[in-house]
Amino acid sequence: MTALPPVSTEVAAAALDLLPARLRKRLDGAVAKAAGWPVQVVADGLVVRVAEDTAVTLVLSPAGIVADADDAVCSCLLAPACLHRAAVLSSAPLAEPHAEAEHEEVEHEEVEHEEAEHREADGDESTGPGPEPEAASTTDRTGSPTPDHTRSLTSEHTRPPTPEQEPQPYPGADGTPGVPAAAHALWEAGTEVLSTGVTGAGAHHRAQLLHAAHSARLAGLHEESATAVRIARHLGAARENDPAFRLAELTDELTGLLDAVRRPGRATAARRDYRPGGPLRLHGLFTEPVVTASGYSGATTHALAPDGTLRTLSDIAPGGPGRAVQAAGSSVPGGCALPLRELGAGGGVILTSPTVSADGRIGGGKQVRSVRASGAEWHEAPLDALWQQPPSAQLAAVLRAPAASPAGGGLLFLDGTLTTDGALAVTRGPVLRLLAPDERPELPYAENLRLLTSYPGLPLRLIGRIRQDRPGGISVLAASWTATDGSEFRADLGLRRLNRAQLPSVVPPSGSMTGTPLVLPVELDLLRRAVDRTVAGGRPVAAADDELPGRLRAAGLTTGADCAHALTEAAAARHHDVLGRLLPTDKDAFATAWLATALYARAAVAALLVAAWTA
């Protein structure tokens, strides 16, 4: 079986719109059958065999995605408004925004090239010099003007910026055209998912999310658009019983989307902007595998720059978990032939003329050059300074960081000792359970953690990320310890399978080999679970939970009790008109009450975590 390629959000949404009502009701069943249809690779794409006389052909763009509706063709008589085509496109992963942007850029360059050829042909046929051609401009899919490359550099640099080139606020009176409508569409799509719940969400809800995401991107709300696409991916993963689906992640995404469209903000850039930079010296920290729900995978190496900020170098492309391990062997840009894995394992590199994004990601380019340099161990300068910051201060900085944080913004650098029950007693911090960031069998996170936790008393230095859905634990990405010969041994836990020969045979005695992992108040945990259950089961589930407000109030969490009470009341509220007829439910009031509860639970967990780590 060959995996289906990523599909752009516009193509996936349009395929569902073409279906008549009678076929739309059968789409969920057709998607389940599509998982068993054989896929054959052809010269310019793939062919999905539905039956002996029926096949769906997918043509790939230069970016490796199905980018246009004409690139998905079914051979049946009902095409393109057929169930086969819609089922295949609904089964495929949704393309990442950067892949769609790459396709748009290539498409735009092809159009400009054709226009230039036509202008040259017109000039050759003319008998005399014609009038000076006006500076042409095109419009990309984001609705913002794109300058034509035939303009002179002088006119391009002296022309003042137009209002459309500046980020515009939304959704006020001075907002970008179309932004209030796009924000409203995102709110409507999110409230529909919330009211129905994951168990009741189907193709209609996924299509509504994709349409809203497309409208938001055209209006300049690119972060909100990407969030809506991720929610659609989570719904697809839940429908397919994907073991990688996590309800807590869907809750966070839905909370972020509804919160973003309810408050003023600013339009964001359509694609990540890489700008030329000066010479850059990097010390490698670690390399982690990356596997996304959209069908992309690869590896990302984190490194420390001289100014104390973190930078990342990545190799991400369409593929499965197996590609993540292979991508770690790809070379650093610039021709030094240093693999990403070696850079993260203690190597160093000097880059000249690199391209760097605002969030610290380093891109490749024709001008970049690189040479190997000496690296550093975690206990040596300058890397050792990352572990000298108090854990509570690190946690507070991570929790304050925005959703679109710079590279490495969510990382924690901790020292500690393994306890007898497999937890980590953090130096100057709490006792935390060690969690696997990814439990796919292709990635050895879980296997390596089981081996490490079987050595109580072992001093560890690690890099991880906090998980608010499991506040008493930390996802461990890389670890370091003292080997038998006294040297430092460090490992990327997602890429390298450990064995007992790499661990010390005799664990040094420790005075702190036991400890109770961090636990938050059970009432707050019940509130968080109520928020998640509402996402899973929808409005009826929230209306049935009427005991939680009393428990929260008894525990002193009065604001949480008020939020829970408002959520229950909004979920159960049904009103009648003057004739006694039942009115439609108020989805906006229910979504607002749920959002307030979710934001309170998130803020309360963050505040109590910082307090517990400080104590």
Side-chain angles (χ1 to χ4, degrees):
M1 295 295 294
T2 302
L4 294 175
V7 176
S8 70
T9 55
E10 297 93 323
V11 174
L16 299 177
D17 286 344
L18 290 175
L19 289 179
R22 63 182 181 83
L23 293 181
R24 194 171 299 176
K25 297 178 180 179
R26 299 166 51 191
L27 180 60
D28 292 333
V31 170
K33 295 180 180 179
W37 293 343
V39 181
Q40 177 185 359
V41 179
V42 294
D44 54 352
L46 299 96
V47 175
V48 182
R49 296 290 178 184
V50 181
E52 292 184 1
D53 56 347
T54 305
V56 178
T57 302
L58 303 178
V59 179
L60 303 184
S61 71
I65 66 175
V66 180
D68 298 318
D70 295 338
D71 294 338
V73 180
C74 183
S75 60
C76 74
L77 298 178
L78 295 179
C82 66
L83 199 59
H84 313 122
R85 179 175 179 271
V88 170
L89 293 178
S90 297
S91 301
L94 296 173
E96 294 285 353
H98 68 80
E100 298 186 41
E102 181 181 344
H103 165 73
E104 294 170 7
E105 189 172 320
V106 171
E107 186 181 63
H108 175 61
E109 291 177 354
E110 292 176 351
V111 171
E112 285 186 339
H113 180 67
E114 293 177 359
E115 291 177 351
E117 290 181 347
H118 287 307
R119 285 194 295 269
E120 291 177 1
D122 292 342
D124 293 340
E125 294 175 359
S126 61
T127 56
E132 184 81 8
E134 295 182 0
S137 66
T138 59
T139 302
D140 65 14
R141 295 187 185 180
T142 63
S144 58
T146 303
D148 187 274
H149 294 296
T150 60
R151 299 177 183 174
S152 66
L153 292 176
T154 304
S155 63
E156 193 65 39
H157 284 288
T158 57
R159 182 180 296 106
T162 60
E164 292 85 352
Q165 293 172 336
E166 298 294 333
Q168 301 293 325
Y170 74 97
D174 298 330
T176 306
V179 168
H184 179 71
L186 288 171
W187 174 266
E188 289 291 324
T191 55
E192 284 289 339
V193 172
L194 184 61
S195 298
T196 306
V198 175
T199 56
H204 166 72
H205 301 86
R206 194 166 182 261
Q208 188 176 3
L209 278 168
L210 298 181
H211 272 300
H214 180 51
S215 300
R217 193 173 65 162
L218 294 179
L221 307 182
H222 301 284
E223 291 182 6
E224 292 80 359
S225 172
T227 303
V229 173
R230 289 195 296 270
I231 293 173
R233 291 197 190 107
H234 283 299
L235 294 179
R239 179 196 62 208
E240 298 170 1
N241 295 321
D242 188 342
F245 169 74
R246 290 179 178 173
L247 181 60
E249 292 181 0
L250 175 57
T251 300
D252 288 340
E253 297 286 7
L254 194 56
T255 302
L257 177 65
L258 296 181
D259 185 38
V261 300
R262 289 280 293 181
R263 64 174 65 207
R266 297 187 67 84
T268 54
R271 54 180 66 96
R272 185 175 292 118
D273 186 18
Y274 287 89
R275 297 181 179 274
L280 189 60
R281 173 78 155 86
L282 296 177
H283 288 86
L285 270 170
F286 73 101
T287 302
E288 66 171 320
V290 177
V291 182
T292 70
S294 57
Y296 289 79
S297 64
T300 296
T301 294
H302 298 255
L304 184 68
D307 59 358
T309 59
L310 296 181
R311 298 286 187 263
T312 58
L313 300 96
S314 301
D315 178 9
I316 309 295
R323 190 193 178 278
V325 179
Q326 298 172 1
S330 60
S331 299
V332 172
C336 71
L338 175 65
L340 293 177
R341 180 188 287 107
E342 290 188 20
L343 175 61
V349 67
I350 298 176
L351 300 172
T352 57
S353 302
T355 56
V356 185
S357 67
D359 55 1
R361 291 170 172 82
I362 297 176
K366 296 181 180 179
Q367 303 299 324
V368 63
R369 294 292 182 269
S370 61
V371 294
R372 290 175 180 255
S374 59
E377 298 297 338
W378 283 1
H379 286 83
E380 300 174 352
L383 301 184
D384 182 65
L386 296 171
W387 280 266
Q388 301 309 315
Q389 304 175 41
S392 58
Q394 295 187 47
L395 177 67
V398 167
L399 296 177
R400 286 195 306 265
S405 58
L411 297 178
L412 295 172
F413 304 88
L414 305 176
D415 287 312
T417 304
L418 292 175
T419 66
T420 54
D421 54 357
L424 181 75
V426 178
T427 305
R428 298 182 295 170
V431 178
L432 301 174
R433 297 196 179 278
L434 304 184
L435 308 174
D438 195 316
E439 297 181 357
R440 292 180 176 89
E442 295 88 349
L443 304 179
Y445 280 119
E447 179 182 341
N448 288 336
L449 285 179
R450 281 194 296 269
L451 179 60
L452 282 176
T453 53
S454 66
Y455 282 76
L458 177 66
L460 276 186
R461 171 164 281 193
L462 58 82
I463 301 176
R465 291 191 181 96
I466 194 69
R467 282 176 52 179
Q468 291 200 42
D469 61 323
R470 298 184 66 179
I474 183 172
S475 296
V476 186
L477 302 167
S480 168
W481 58 89
T482 302
T484 305
D485 59 359
S487 63
E488 179 180 352
F489 186 92
R490 83 196 212 198
D492 301 323
L493 300 184
L495 295 174
R496 182 175 186 175
R497 296 187 185 274
L498 302 177
N499 56 66
R500 295 192 178 276
Q502 296 162 338
L503 290 161
S505 56
V506 178
V507 177
S510 173
S512 177
M513 296 182 61
T514 60
T516 302
L518 176 64
V519 178
L520 295 182
V522 64
E523 291 80 10
L524 184 57
D525 186 60
L526 291 175
L527 182 62
R528 292 174 49 251
R529 293 177 183 271
V531 172
D532 289 343
R533 282 200 308 271
T534 302
V535 176
R539 187 188 189 105
V541 173
D545 194 356
D546 55 358
E547 296 182 359
L548 182 58
R551 297 192 60 174
L552 290 167
R553 202 174 303 278
L557 302 173
T558 55
T559 303
D562 293 340
C563 290
H565 177 73
L567 176 60
T568 303
E569 290 293 320
R574 298 301 302 270
H575 302 287
H576 299 77
D577 61 11
V578 294
L579 299 179
R581 293 173 297 189
L582 191 64
L583 296 175
T585 58
D586 190 348
K587 295 181 180 179
D588 288 342
F590 170 64
T592 302
W594 177 86
L595 178 60
T597 307
L599 291 175
Y600 168 81
R602 176 188 293 179
V605 168
L608 291 177
L609 275 178
V610 174
W613 281 45
T614 303

